[in-house]
Amino acid sequence: LVVNKYDGALKAEHGTGRNMAPFVETEWGGEIYELMKQLKQAIDPRNLLNPGVIINEDKNVHIKDIKPLPTVEHEVDKCIECGYCEHKCPSRNLTTTPRRRIVIRRELKKMEIRGDKENYKILLDQFQYDGMDTCAVDGLCATACPVDINTGELIKRLRRENHSPFANKAALLVAKNFGVVVWGARFALKAGAIMNSIFGKHTMTAITKGMKKIVPDMPLWTDQISSPPNLSAINKITVNQADEKVIYYPSCISRMLGSGVEGKKNLMETFLSVSQKAGIQVEVPKNVFGTCCSQIFSSKGYNDANKYMANTFIEKIWEASNQGILKVVIDVSSCAYTIKNMRHHLTDENQQHFDKLKILDCVDYLHDMVMPKQQSIQKRGSVVVHPVCSLQKMNTQDKFVDLARHYAENVTVPVHSGCCGMAGDRGFLFPELTTSATMPEALEVQQRKYDGYYSSTKTCEMAMSAAVNENYESILYLLDEAVN
Ligand code: SF4
Ligand code: SF4
């Protein structure tokens, strides 16, 4: 119909293969088809190159040898194995890709049906590291998939199913005592920083590497970790009269890892400074310090802990924001993304509150509320930015680049910028994932020196700093330093 009645083509620019081969002559006409055959014969007289593809005399080849695609998991069953997602995946050069993760799940299913227990076990064991451990569950694959498959959702569910009831209870206990956990982590970071200052800056890296051999889930210390930031700034905010007021939620990452380098302000002090210069009043609610965005639980598949934390967070923020009247600003983009997508984990009542809350990522805040108020600025020279994958998923990458262009003369967005593989804390557990994921971007950035290196998520900044050997910092610093 398409070819004969409408004089159309059977397909776009690719994908003839064997599937369309019986119809190529109908589409192009006998004369051109004959020329194609002669051309193929001239180039490949022994028919070694892709035999049967495009040129095929079998009129039924399109219904022969059809590859079975067994249904495996609802998250990925629509996959047609086209591979469009592969270039997005941070683990593509280390272990495997989203498409291949799905192919392996299908292969496992086929083995199970065949009763091939031996090979099933071998492949399942290999899938643990290649498929499960090194998936950053960042969901970037979904942004390139024509049928919206997020392989990370499958991996999260598999992680969930792998947890024992004891592990789930332990995670819930951590969630319920998160304030104490953050306090303990800050204490451990301080102790580690002291160890490094006494015994040498690589001491903690060596110690944690040794411990990881005994406890595989042990996070590794990196050279980017320093003593935790001083929180006195957010504990002592003075209330000024200002046109606008927002609630500032310092993420737990900022509270633990947000120290400034080389004597600079820490991340929270910088947020307050930027806001003050823009005449925006900031309030930091005291009741939220035992909470987090719940990404640490959701990415690892701890369902009960995730639900508990998501609901607790919304309850506290609902109260702090005066029942959704005040905007709530999150200083780490990946946390903002998690919060904006936590609705399905909430109770009915919290879902109603969630719908009324105005949650802003710091990039939205800086772009929409701060930038318009700052006319007199001193632009930075040449800067390079790392747009984190959460910005891509929130569709705010352009705002981030706009911000950088407003506060710097020249802005480079690396062609190879992509997910750094840090995924909250995955890079601390499997640093080889981050090293592999950041390499193409790092090689590009290292071609020259820049006046500043900026991003909007602390852990991604740490990964990029390690890869490029320069200090990546929050874009908050660019704004703060551009305005006196
Ligand atoms: S892009 Fe989507 S359909 Fe194509 S291989 Fe990847 S997951 Fe499958
Ligand atoms: S979620 Fe991320 S790491 Fe996992 S398969 Fe998709 S792109 Fe790769």
Side-chain angles (χ1 to χ4, degrees):
L1 181 78
V2 172
V3 172
N4 291 335
K5 185 168 175 189
Y6 296 109
D7 196 22
L10 286 174
K11 60 196 161 30
E13 73 284 4
H14 56 77
T16 299
R18 291 180 177 80
N19 206 20
M20 293 286 178
F23 310 103
V24 172
E25 186 173 2
T26 312
E27 182 179 16
W28 290 91
E31 206 178 327
I32 295 181
Y33 187 60
E34 195 49 43
L35 272 175
M36 286 183 189
K37 286 203 306 194
Q38 287 174 18
L39 201 56
K40 166 82 171 161
Q41 173 66 21
I43 294 168
D44 181 20
R46 292 166 63 199
N47 199 23
L48 297 175
L49 306 175
N50 268 348
V53 168
I54 302 181
I55 309 290
N56 197 318
E57 298 304 324
D58 184 347
K59 295 297 172 203
N60 287 324
V61 68
H62 61 302
I63 49 171
K64 286 183 179 168
D65 302 322
I66 291 175
K67 183 178 173 185
L69 295 179
T71 49
V72 281
E73 278 112 0
H74 70 272
E75 293 92 343
V76 295
D77 276 339
K78 284 187 291 177
C79 176
I80 48 171
E81 299 181 13
C82 63
Y84 285 177
C85 52
E86 298 198 288
H87 73 287
K88 291 275 183 182
C89 182
S91 63
R92 67 190 180 282
N93 296 326
L94 177 71
T95 49
T96 192
T97 68
R99 181 186 67 81
R100 282 187 262 153
R101 285 186 169 93
I102 297 167
V103 170
I104 293 169
R105 297 301 298 174
R106 287 176 171 162
E107 203 51 45
L108 282 166
K109 188 73 184 173
K110 285 188 223 163
M111 287 173 178
E112 192 186 313
I113 292 167
R114 285 201 306 269
D116 185 353
K117 287 187 186 158
E118 194 184 332
N119 284 321
Y120 179 89
K121 189 176 176 321
I122 293 170
L123 190 57
L124 190 64
D125 284 350
Q126 289 172 346
F127 188 69
Q128 180 58 41
Y129 178 75
D130 290 3
M132 301 273 287
D133 293 345
T134 55
C135 173
V137 298
D138 55 350
L140 266 196
C141 37
T143 63
C145 175
V147 286
D148 294 332
I149 290 174
N150 178 349
T151 308
E153 287 301 322
L154 165 67
I155 301 299
K156 270 197 226 176
R157 184 169 60 75
L158 295 175
R159 283 180 190 162
R160 221 161 37 229
E161 288 169 5
N162 279 354
H163 292 316
S164 65
F166 175 77
N168 273 318
K169 276 190 187 145
L172 184 59
L173 194 66
V174 169
K176 286 184 174 172
N177 297 282
F178 200 70
V180 180
V181 173
V182 171
W183 182 87
R186 282 176 54 85
F187 179 80
L189 289 168
K190 200 167 203 163
I194 292 171
M195 289 280 284
N196 273 356
S197 67
I198 296 172
F199 299 109
K201 65 177 187 173
H202 301 305
T203 307
M204 285 306 295
T205 309
I207 290 175
T208 50
K209 267 187 184 162
M211 288 170 76
K212 196 169 174 64
K213 287 184 185 144
I214 305 161
V215 186
D217 287 343
M218 175 86 198
L220 288 173
W221 188 279
T222 78
D223 289 348
Q224 272 62 48
I225 295 177
S226 56
S227 204
N230 186 334
L231 299 181
S232 59
I234 51 175
N235 287 329
K236 281 192 270 165
I237 294 180
T238 49
V239 178
N240 303 316
Q241 284 305 315
D243 297 344
E244 283 181 284
K245 179 176 168 182
V246 296
I247 298 295
Y248 169 36
Y249 180 77
S251 72
C252 68
I253 297 174
S254 307
R255 284 176 265 146
M256 288 188 284
L257 299 168
S259 298
V261 297
E262 295 159 5
K264 285 191 181 185
K265 295 169 195 154
N266 69 41
L267 187 70
M268 288 145 290
E269 290 164 342
T270 309
F271 183 96
L272 297 176
S273 170
V274 166
S275 303
Q276 190 187 23
K277 287 174 188 175
I280 299 172
Q281 189 184 323
V282 171
E283 190 178 317
V284 182
K286 297 288 174 291
N287 67 347
V288 294
F289 278 15
T291 65
C292 74
C293 69
S294 80
Q295 187 196 21
I296 191 163
F297 302 111
S298 67
S299 66
K300 293 182 178 58
Y302 289 114
N303 218 19
D304 296 345
N306 177 30
K307 277 192 178 152
Y308 172 85
M309 185 55 85
N311 280 287
T312 306
F313 174 84
I314 292 299
E315 282 155 21
K316 305 267 184 197
I317 284 294
W318 177 247
E319 188 188 325
S321 66
N322 209 359
Q323 282 78 43
I325 291 171
L326 295 171
K327 291 174 179 146
V328 179
V329 187
I330 318 291
D331 58 3
V332 165
S333 294
S334 66
C335 302
Y337 174 77
T338 307
I339 291 165
K340 283 170 181 251
N341 288 279
M342 63 169 48
R343 191 179 191 279
H344 59 291
H345 298 300
L346 302 174
T347 61
D348 290 348
E349 187 185 358
N350 282 333
Q351 284 191 358
Q352 286 174 19
H353 293 168
F354 176 89
D355 293 342
K356 290 181 186 144
L357 284 171
K358 299 174 203 88
I359 304 284
L360 296 184
D361 173 35
C362 62
V363 168
D364 290 313
Y365 172 63
L366 296 175
H367 184 275
D368 300 347
M369 294 180 69
V370 174
M371 190 168 76
K373 291 176 187 280
Q374 293 180 332
Q375 305 306 329
S376 170
I377 57 171
Q378 200 169 1
K379 285 194 173 202
R380 207 88 215 262
S382 292
V383 306
V384 64
V385 293
H386 171 73
V388 297
C389 42
S390 300
L391 296 181
Q392 200 176 326
K393 291 184 285 181
M394 290 189 286
N395 209 12
T396 52
Q397 200 165 341
D398 289 349
K399 282 189 182 179
F400 176 69
V401 176
D402 269 3
L403 266 176
R405 292 205 170 116
H406 189 78
Y407 292 92
E409 298 291 351
N410 291 300
V411 177
T412 299
V413 185
V415 176
H416 292 100
S417 63
C419 176
C420 67
M422 198 65 184
D425 61 349
R426 194 125 294 251
F428 295 127
L429 299 168
F430 302 99
E432 66 277 21
L433 173 63
T434 311
T435 306
S436 166
T438 50
M439 195 176 290
E441 185 176 348
L443 288 174
E444 190 182 336
V445 173
Q446 282 171 327
Q447 296 300 311
R448 53 162 290 193
K449 190 97 179 136
Y450 294 92
D451 299 319
Y453 299 76
Y454 299 101
S455 190
S456 63
T457 293
K458 180 64 193 173
T459 45
C460 306
E461 288 151 24
M462 293 167 79
M464 287 307 300
S465 299
V468 175
N469 208 18
E470 295 285 353
N471 179 46
Y472 273 77
E473 55 193 354
S474 167
I475 196 153
L476 280 158
Y477 286 88
L478 177 63
L479 270 75
D480 191 39
E481 287 161 18
V483 180
N484 282 322

